[in-house]
Amino acid sequence: ALIKQFVEDICSDQSKLTTNTIRVPSNQRNRLLSLFAFDMLDCGNRGEYTCPAKIRNGIDDKYYKQTGTTANQITDIVLNSEKERLLKSDSAYGKVEFIHSLIRDYFAAYSISHLSKDELLKRIKEEFLEYTKWDETLSILVGIVDEKTSEAIIKHLAGIDPYFAAQCFPIAKHVDSKTEDRLINTLSVNLETHNLIPVLDKTIDAFVNLKSEKAFFPLIRLVEKGDE
């Protein structure tokens, strides 16, 4: 929510300062920037997105179809986003870079949030657990989807990687008490099963990330165990 508000505030403030800002519907802008951001991560480019000349036409077609925009509108959106300090680019969108990785990750999360719940959960399991690419995006995602989807993602992650689920937990829009209890129990059982210092450290970090009253006493026990 803070990142979303930050993006909106930047756009609002910069628009007031720039009299020649090209007016573009925000939904078109957000959709295009979300496609840029998703492709940056999906292609492994953490910082920038490039369009080699030999595939430029294919890229154009893809964005025209998915955003319902023309070439001129896409150029206008990119130029407008530069004025709003969201993007840095050259040659229209031959090379595009977001001014901060969290803004890129927010727009990538915005892109993924348009998937159906079932498709989203499937792709999380099959694609989006490559943490060097998608960790921040998934953390943001649980805060921008609806409550049912947010809770479904936490439940899904808890069964795959409870430590990452704990990282996303405080950002989620809603998590019921049963899911919270199950996650705390899973973390505790993992510790008892492995009983290794690295697991202890990860579990303490997970309980701290949960920011839950229910994790307080397990956390105290873990800290005491770490001091033994």
Side-chain angles (χ1 to χ4, degrees):
L2 288 175
I3 297 172
K4 180 179 179 181
Q5 185 62 49
F6 172 65
V7 171
E8 291 175 350
D9 287 348
I10 287 178
C11 297
S12 176
D13 292 345
Q14 292 300 327
S15 292
K16 293 174 184 176
L17 296 173
T18 308
T19 56
N20 294 323
T21 297
I22 303 163
R23 300 298 175 183
V24 180
S26 61
N27 61 330
Q28 284 187 345
R29 182 206 64 190
N30 288 349
R31 188 65 180 136
L32 180 65
L33 294 184
S34 74
L35 292 174
F36 280 147
F38 181 87
D39 282 347
M40 287 179 194
L41 295 178
D42 195 39
C43 296
N45 299 323
R46 292 291 291 179
E48 67 182 34
Y49 179 72
T50 58
C51 298
K54 63 181 179 180
I55 63 169
R56 178 66 179 268
N57 290 337
I59 294 293
D60 286 346
D61 290 344
K62 170 184 174 180
Y63 291 136
Y64 299 157
K65 291 175 182 177
Q66 294 193 38
T67 62
T69 53
T70 65
N72 288 338
Q73 286 175 318
I74 287 179
T75 300
D76 288 348
I77 291 172
V78 172
L79 293 174
N80 195 42
S81 297
E82 288 178 340
K83 291 179 180 179
E84 293 170 340
R85 304 299 188 266
L86 294 175
L87 289 178
K88 295 183 291 183
S89 71
D90 58 30
S91 302
Y93 66 99
K95 180 179 179 181
V96 174
E97 182 180 359
F98 285 90
I99 62 165
H100 195 282
S101 61
L102 280 179
I103 294 178
R104 177 203 59 215
D105 294 338
Y106 164 76
F107 279 110
Y110 179 87
S111 176
I112 296 169
S113 71
H114 288 81
L115 298 172
S116 68
K117 184 174 73 173
D118 290 343
E119 179 67 14
L120 178 56
L121 297 179
K122 176 183 177 183
R123 294 187 67 177
I124 286 175
K125 183 176 182 179
E126 295 178 354
E127 300 176 43
F128 299 147
L129 291 181
E130 186 176 347
Y131 296 134
T132 55
K133 285 186 179 183
W134 302 105
D135 53 345
E136 294 294 343
T137 298
L138 289 180
S139 296
I140 294 169
L141 179 68
V142 297
I144 65 175
V145 292
D146 62 70
E147 289 187 358
K148 288 185 178 179
T149 303
S150 181
E151 181 163 11
I153 293 172
I154 295 296
K155 285 183 178 179
H156 193 57
L157 289 175
I160 301 172
D161 184 344
Y163 304 102
F164 186 56
Q167 178 181 322
C168 296
F169 182 92
I171 308 169
K173 282 189 175 179
H174 176 74
V175 180
D176 65 27
S177 58
K178 290 183 179 179
T179 300
E180 183 179 357
D181 291 343
R182 192 178 303 116
L183 180 54
I184 292 172
N185 182 64
T186 299
L187 291 167
S188 300
V189 169
N190 280 358
L191 179 64
E192 293 171 3
T193 302
H194 299 287
N195 196 27
L196 299 171
I197 294 299
V199 178
L200 173 62
D201 291 342
K202 285 177 64 177
T203 306
I204 289 174
D205 288 343
F207 280 141
V208 171
N209 285 332
L210 281 172
K211 295 180 174 63
S212 165
E213 292 181 4
K214 293 181 179 180
F216 178 75
F217 290 109
L219 178 59
I220 295 299
R221 290 197 295 271
L222 284 176
V223 172
E224 290 174 344
K225 185 179 181 67
D227 291 337
E228 292 177 358

